[in-house]
Amino acid sequence: MKKIIIIFIIALCLLSFTGISYSNEEPKKFGEAWNSFSNIQKITYISAIDHGITKGISICLMGYTDYFIEREGKDKQKQIAIAGLSILNEYLEIRSTFDIEVISKVVTELYKDPANTYIWISDMYILALLKVKGESIESSSREAREKALY
């Protein structure tokens, strides 16, 4: 009996490392969801993602600085604050030059490619920002597709 249990546990462990989904469910088609939204819903969604990223960075900054004050002292707090502010500044620098409506239209354009239909909307938002900025998004698109299907 112990051998059967051990073999079963080993089999489960090995299956967990395969990365293959044995579920009958197909991955969610975020592109279809996006295309079902009205223009105002799309703009609202993009605004929420933008606000969420900004708020998330600021919350992390506050949490990490408090943590490092307790653990490492004020010097480490300054380093973390500077690093966090530079990340926030970099994001705002990319984002601030583009209108939410423009980004929304680029997301819609990117979802016209059937290969992108499974990419999460938040990832598509980042791809749209990069595209509007003029950067190549080929490798980032490939990574987002792989992430969505995993």
Side-chain angles (χ1 to χ4, degrees), residues 17-145:
F17 293 117
T18 61
I20 298 171
S21 172
Y22 294 100
S23 170
N24 289 336
E25 286 186 38
E26 184 177 341
K28 293 185 180 183
K29 295 182 177 181
F30 293 101
E32 288 180 6
W34 178 262
N35 290 327
S36 71
F37 295 162
S38 68
N39 283 339
I40 193 70
Q41 287 172 318
K42 290 176 181 178
I43 291 167
T44 303
Y45 201 102
I46 293 296
S47 294
I49 291 173
D50 178 58
H51 179 72
I53 290 171
T54 308
K55 187 72 172 174
I57 292 171
S58 66
I59 288 171
C60 285
L61 271 174
M62 289 185 296
Y64 280 122
T65 54
D66 289 346
Y67 171 81
F68 281 109
I69 285 174
E70 293 173 12
R71 302 273 183 182
E72 306 283 336
K74 295 255 184 204
D75 290 336
K76 195 68 167 178
Q77 177 199 15
K78 288 178 187 175
Q79 291 173 358
I80 295 298
I82 290 169
L85 288 173
S86 96
I87 291 168
L88 180 60
N89 188 43
E90 184 178 330
Y91 171 72
L92 292 175
E93 191 176 296
I94 293 169
R95 168 52 199 97
S96 66
T97 56
F98 307 115
D99 187 283
I100 293 285
E101 200 169 335
V102 171
I103 297 167
S104 173
K105 288 178 182 176
V106 174
V107 169
T108 301
E109 186 66 31
L110 291 171
Y111 272 129
K112 286 183 181 178
D113 182 350
N116 293 338
T117 196
Y118 297 107
I119 297 176
W120 298 0
I121 297 172
S122 55
D123 289 344
M124 194 61 85
Y125 166 75
I126 300 298
L127 290 173
L129 277 179
L130 295 172
K131 184 172 181 168
V132 172
K133 189 179 174 194
E135 293 184 18
S136 172
I137 60 167
E138 281 306 311
S139 65
S140 298
S141 295
R142 231 176 296 113
E143 288 174 20
R145 289 179 195 132

